[in-house]
Amino acid sequence: MTNSPTNGVLDRDGLSALVRLLGARGRTVIGPTPRDGAVVLDEMASADDLPFGWGPEVEAGRHRLVPRADGAVFAHTAGPQLWKTFLHPQREKLWSAERTPDGRLSVIEENPGQPVIEENPGQPSYAFRGVRPCDLRAIAIQDRVLADGRYQDRGYEERRTGAFLVAAQCTEPGATCFCVSMGGGPAADAGFGLALTEVLDETGHRFLARTGSEAWQEVLAQVSPQPADPATEHTARSAVDAARDRMVRARPPADLRTLMGESLEADRWDDVAARCLTCGNCTMVCPTCFCTTTEEVTDLTGGHAERWLRWDSCFDVDFSCLHGGPVRSSARSRYRQWLTHKLSTWYEQFGSSGCVGCGRCVTWCPVGIDITEEATALHDELADRLRREKQRETER
């Protein structure tokens, strides 16, 4: 049985000690770091790589990294990169083959349906540092899709099983966040080994650390935290609660499965199609999208061939291509497919919504299309249609 969670308080040196400890245990530590005008995910050598004093200004179709005077490290919202990049990589080699001198085909390092990593035959052992609660939920969704479903990805399973997750609870929601309305929130409730809450007040800059398992209690003890005092615990809890109350975006107050099912012929799809570039950015930055395709490449001699698995997008016109052409050739049909699957039919496949409310699709859409605005518009159009139908029935 797992013991009750243990709390402790870490300072900046404690964060560095945690990175060193995880590295000494053979973990590749990945965390947020400022680079190229954004907070990106990269390998960390120490806590100094964290984005101390940086935070983004975000809005629909806009992201700008700006300095902060308070030196906060976890004041950034979900960035353009994804933890799934490491668990479910963008490109993986499935097999390679060589043509032998006698004309036969020799498959090299064959592992049908599973990735072959030539440089490192074993899967990397990750420790993710600073995982937001919305991304914890997204990883849990990917687990259901790629590890617990009918068709399992063994490469994903191996990477995921060995991954240590250090969560960062949110104390400052971004302008495009709407996780509360999707059943989540700024607090980490499951799926983590250690959860950190940043505290900045007159007492100093520190991090309340809460363990999520017995194994992590031992890890926390090794970095010598200070005992968790009531004042720090109260301030941390209040900051997370305040973040929940400050979230400005929300999905419409309706059953999304019913809403999407009743809105397949809505006029709103034409409105969004007139703005959508079908670039696929929303799918590429979505932490739960999982679609892939395979491609074969060969050299000019025809003597060497490889098959690769890579991410795909339902916004690609070839995604639904069958004999005779694509099933969804219009921007309307492709956007409708994405939104309907994300908010509705995902439930039928995997038992939950495919959206965690991280807001990435809103921030990184080149034309600022807002998923909450589109869902609300569909809700209002459906409500208006039902009102008019009821009125007509009354008048008969």
Side-chain angles (χ1 to χ4, degrees):
M1 177 179 292
T2 301
N3 296 334
S4 59
T6 297
N7 290 350
V9 176
L10 300 175
D11 56 14
R12 185 164 178 164
D13 290 338
L15 292 183
S16 293
L18 182 58
V19 173
R20 291 194 299 270
L21 175 61
L22 294 173
R25 293 188 170 199
R27 301 280 170 175
T28 299
V29 183
I30 306 294
T33 188
R35 192 179 70 225
D36 300 330
V39 175
V40 301
L41 301 177
D42 204 352
E43 189 170 345
M44 297 178 59
S46 74
D48 294 336
D49 295 327
L50 290 166
F52 284 94
W54 290 97
E57 292 178 352
V58 299
E59 206 20 277
R62 182 175 183 272
H63 180 282
R64 181 187 178 200
L65 196 63
V66 295
R68 296 173 57 99
D70 58 8
V73 63
F74 292 129
H76 58 279
T77 53
Q81 288 184 305
L82 307 166
W83 301 102
K84 80 173 182 182
T85 304
F86 303 95
L87 299 175
H88 179 44
Q90 292 172 315
R91 294 185 78 240
E92 290 183 296
K93 185 189 292 186
L94 298 179
W95 50 257
S96 61
E98 298 283 351
R99 188 176 298 280
T100 62
D102 59 2
R104 296 182 181 181
L105 193 66
S106 174
V107 177
I108 302 170
E109 295 182 324
E110 185 179 13
N111 191 7
Q114 299 301 324
V116 174
I117 302 176
E118 294 179 346
E119 295 78 10
N120 182 10
Q123 298 292 355
S125 182
Y126 287 119
F128 293 157
R129 182 76 172 273
V131 184
R132 295 296 181 180
C134 57
D135 283 330
L136 287 175
R137 294 184 65 216
I139 291 172
I141 290 172
Q142 290 266 285
D143 288 347
R144 290 197 290 274
V145 174
L146 299 173
D148 301 333
R150 182 177 178 184
Y151 303 102
Q152 298 176 343
D153 185 323
R154 291 196 297 273
Y156 176 89
E157 284 186 284
E158 291 176 15
R159 288 184 291 266
R160 176 67 181 93
T161 300
F164 280 3
L165 305 186
V166 179
Q169 299 200 122
C170 295
T171 57
E172 292 192 29
T176 57
C177 297
F178 58 99
C179 63
V180 171
S181 69
M182 296 306 300
D189 54 7
F192 62 88
L194 192 68
L196 303 176
T197 308
E198 188 167 22
V199 176
L200 279 160
D201 57 20
E202 63 279 358
T203 307
H205 190 180
R206 58 206 185 277
F207 305 85
L208 179 68
R210 173 167 55 98
T211 59
S213 67
E214 185 174 355
W216 272 91
Q217 293 177 23
E218 180 264 331
V219 172
L220 181 61
Q222 288 194 41
V223 297
S224 304
Q226 296 295 317
D229 58 284
T232 297
E233 290 184 330
H234 173 74
T235 303
R237 185 167 53 252
S238 298
V240 174
D241 290 341
R244 181 182 294 106
D245 296 336
R246 294 203 307 271
M247 208 159 293
V248 295
R249 274 180 166 81
R251 48 159 274 188
D255 182 281
L256 293 178
R257 285 173 287 183
T258 300
L259 171 62
M260 303 310 294
E262 295 290 328
S263 300
L264 297 179
E265 301 303 324
D267 293 335
R268 183 67 182 188
W269 299 119
D270 291 326
D271 182 273
V272 70
R275 291 172 283 132
C276 179
L277 305 178
T278 64
C279 65
N281 263 20
C282 50
T283 59
M284 294 297 104
V285 298
C286 178
T288 64
C289 281
F290 59 87
C291 291
T292 57
T293 188
T294 57
E295 59 183 12
E296 282 74 38
V297 296
T298 183
D299 62 8
L300 294 177
T301 68
H304 177 81
E306 297 174 350
R307 171 172 286 184
W308 288 78
L309 184 76
R310 64 168 175 82
W311 290 359
D312 202 0
S313 170
C314 54
F315 281 91
D316 189 336
V317 69
D318 290 334
F319 184 83
S320 65
C321 190
L322 299 176
H323 178 69
V327 174
R328 291 182 287 272
S329 59
S330 67
R332 171 191 169 108
S333 63
R334 297 203 292 278
Y335 189 89
R336 183 179 63 183
Q337 157 65 23
W338 176 70
L339 192 63
T340 302
H341 184 218
K342 188 68 59 178
L343 299 182
S344 176
T345 55
W346 202 294
Y347 281 96
E348 299 171 14
Q349 286 182 285
F350 309 113
S352 74
S353 169
C355 177
V356 295
C358 68
R360 285 184 177 93
C361 61
V362 183
T363 302
W364 299 98
C365 173
V367 295
I369 294 174
D370 183 343
I371 186 175
T372 64
E373 179 182 325
E374 298 310 316
T376 299
L378 289 169
H379 172 260
D380 293 344
E381 182 178 337
L382 176 61
D384 183 60
R385 176 167 63 83
L386 294 176
R387 247 190 328 268
R388 286 187 279 108
E389 291 177 353
K390 185 175 181 180
Q391 183 177 358
R392 285 196 295 269
E393 290 178 2
T394 304
E395 293 173 352
R396 289 175 182 173

